[in-house]
């Protein structure tokens, strides 16, 4: 797992607008920040692997904002996005309700 910035301030606002207000136009900007950070860090990558939501969450939401970001990131970096390799066995709970980084990490793994 990799996170190029802290989930606070303008990043938090942008993610919440993307997720809860369907402001899809923010996806290229967020993906661009991630791509720039990956390039600056000279991180060797051959592809981007999408970790799918549990099927109960997919039914609960209108769309998967992480999937949207991953596909835009793949386009930005000229990389393939691989889906279907990783799948959640358990639904977990909303990351928005997590109160600490440790809780988010535990829920995401």
């Amino acid at each position: 797992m990799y996170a190029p910035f802290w989930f606070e301030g303008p990043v938090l606002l942008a993610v919440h607008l993307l997720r809860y207000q369907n402001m899809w136009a923010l996806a290229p900007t967020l993906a661009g920040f991630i791509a720039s950070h990956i390039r600056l860090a000279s991180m060797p990558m051959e592809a981007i692997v999408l970790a799918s939501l549990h099927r109960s969450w997919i039914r609960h939401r209108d769309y998967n904002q992480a999937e949207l970001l991953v596909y835009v990131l793949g386009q930005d970096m000229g990389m393939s996005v691989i889906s279907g390799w990783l799948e959640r066995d358990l639904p977990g709970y909303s990351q928005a309700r997590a109160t600490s980084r440790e809780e988010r990490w535990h829920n995401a793994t």
Side-chain angles (χ1 to χ4, degrees):
M1 251 191 232
Y2 174 74
F5 30 67
W6 295 105
F7 190 59
E8 60 188 22
V11 173
L12 175 68
L13 177 61
V15 170
H16 280 198
L17 288 171
L18 174 67
R19 182 173 179 183
Y20 301 115
Q21 303 298 318
N22 298 328
M23 293 193 68
W24 301 321
L26 290 170
T29 301
L30 289 168
F33 288 141
I34 296 167
S36 294
H37 196 274
I38 291 170
R39 288 184 186 107
L40 287 172
S42 298
M43 297 172 69
M45 293 175 59
E46 294 180 24
I48 302 168
V49 178
L50 174 63
S52 297
L53 284 174
H54 189 269
R55 60 190 164 276
S56 66
W57 278 108
I58 293 171
R59 285 192 303 264
H60 177 71
R61 297 181 180 169
D62 291 335
Y63 75 106
N64 180 350
Q65 76 278 358
E67 183 176 354
L68 172 64
L69 267 176
V70 164
Y71 280 107
V72 174
L73 177 62
Q75 286 177 339
D76 188 308
M77 298 195 67
M79 290 189 177
S80 299
V81 174
I82 300 169
S83 63
W85 281 11
L86 298 174
E87 191 173 297
R88 289 188 71 120
D89 290 335
L90 301 171
Y93 59 89
S94 171
Q95 291 284 49
R97 293 192 181 115
T99 58
S100 68
R101 273 189 222 125
E102 292 79 18
E103 199 175 347
R104 284 182 191 281
W105 175 260
H106 180 71
N107 189 42
T109 57

